[in-house]
């Protein structure tokens, strides 16, 4: 079974631009979560989608948004990029999103904002 | 997650047991404790999880304190492939709150 895939793997943008990242979950998984990883703040939860609905949201500004499609694929968008948005963005999928579910992580998208 | 703390780094000799501690002092009664590890240039991968009682699987054991304020991940025989950053995670409503992570070095 194919794992979680994320595209693109690397991205360079300039301040003020917007960016869209894509995540394809493992087949059959309906929950997709997004995380930001930086050296200073570590791994932080952004949001979680299940059946095209955002169920949970972390403590990030409204510039960070996402959506999920009917095939469970998910996209994350960041508008008006800031230097501090430079990070590794990880997505993870799970079957149902219940507390006991295992989350399977993709390799991440490395975003650099200049 | 500021409420989930781990030592920055630990070392272990190959084929010896390793005990990785985690403090989650404000964990609620329904929060699961998960452990994941991250190898360089990869996303985190699942190791083990539990709620109240100790848990074992083929990779590791998880010992949870009676008051649930701390837990310990036990790798029974460390191998070179176990060198990674280990994260203790408080899972509340399927929101993962990652600890600070412990970088494990395995010495041959």
């Amino acid at each position: 079974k194919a794992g979680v895939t994320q595209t693109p793997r690397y991205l360079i943008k300039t301040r003020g631009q917007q960016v869209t990242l894509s995540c394809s979950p493992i087949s059959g998984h309906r929950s997709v979560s997004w995380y930001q990883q930086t050296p200073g703040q570590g791994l932080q939860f952004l949001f979680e989608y299940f059946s095209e609905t955002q169920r949970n949201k972390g403590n990030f500004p409204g510039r960070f948004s996402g959506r999920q499609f009917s095939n469970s694929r998910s996209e994350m968008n960041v508008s008006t990029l800031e230097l501090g948005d430079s990070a590794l963005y990880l997505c993870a999928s799970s079957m149902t999103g219940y507390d006991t579910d295992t989350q399977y992580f993709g390799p991440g998208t490395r975003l650099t904002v200049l | 997650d500021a409420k989930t703390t781990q030592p920055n780094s630990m070392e272990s000799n190959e084929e010896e047991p390793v005990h990785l501690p985690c403090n989650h002092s404000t964990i609620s009664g329904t929060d699961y404790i998960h452990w994941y590890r991250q190898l360089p240039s990869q996303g985190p991968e699942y190791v083990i999880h539990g709620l109240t009682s100790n848990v074992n699987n083929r990779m590791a054991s998880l010992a949870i304190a009676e008051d649930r304020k701390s837990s310990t991940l036990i790798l029974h025989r460390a191998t070179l492939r176990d060198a990674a950053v280990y994260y203790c995670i408080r899972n509340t409503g399927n929101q993962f709150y990652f600890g600070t992570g412990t970088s494990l070095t395995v010495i041959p």
Side-chain angles (χ1 to χ4, degrees), chain A residues 37-55:
Chain A
Q37 186 172 24
T38 60
Q41 299 297 318
L43 276 147
Q44 297 184 87
F45 172 76
L46 279 157
F47 29 66
E48 185 237 355
Y49 285 86
F50 180 81
S51 291
E52 302 178 66
T53 301
Q54 186 182 89
R55 284 200 303 196

Side-chain angles (χ1 to χ4, degrees), chain B residues 42-63:
Chain B
Q42 294 186 26
E45 65 174 3
Y46 172 79
V47 177
I48 201 166
H49 76 275
L51 183 61
T52 56
S53 55
N54 297 344
V55 183
N56 299 294
N57 66 21
R58 62 177 180 82
M59 285 184 72
S61 295
L62 175 60

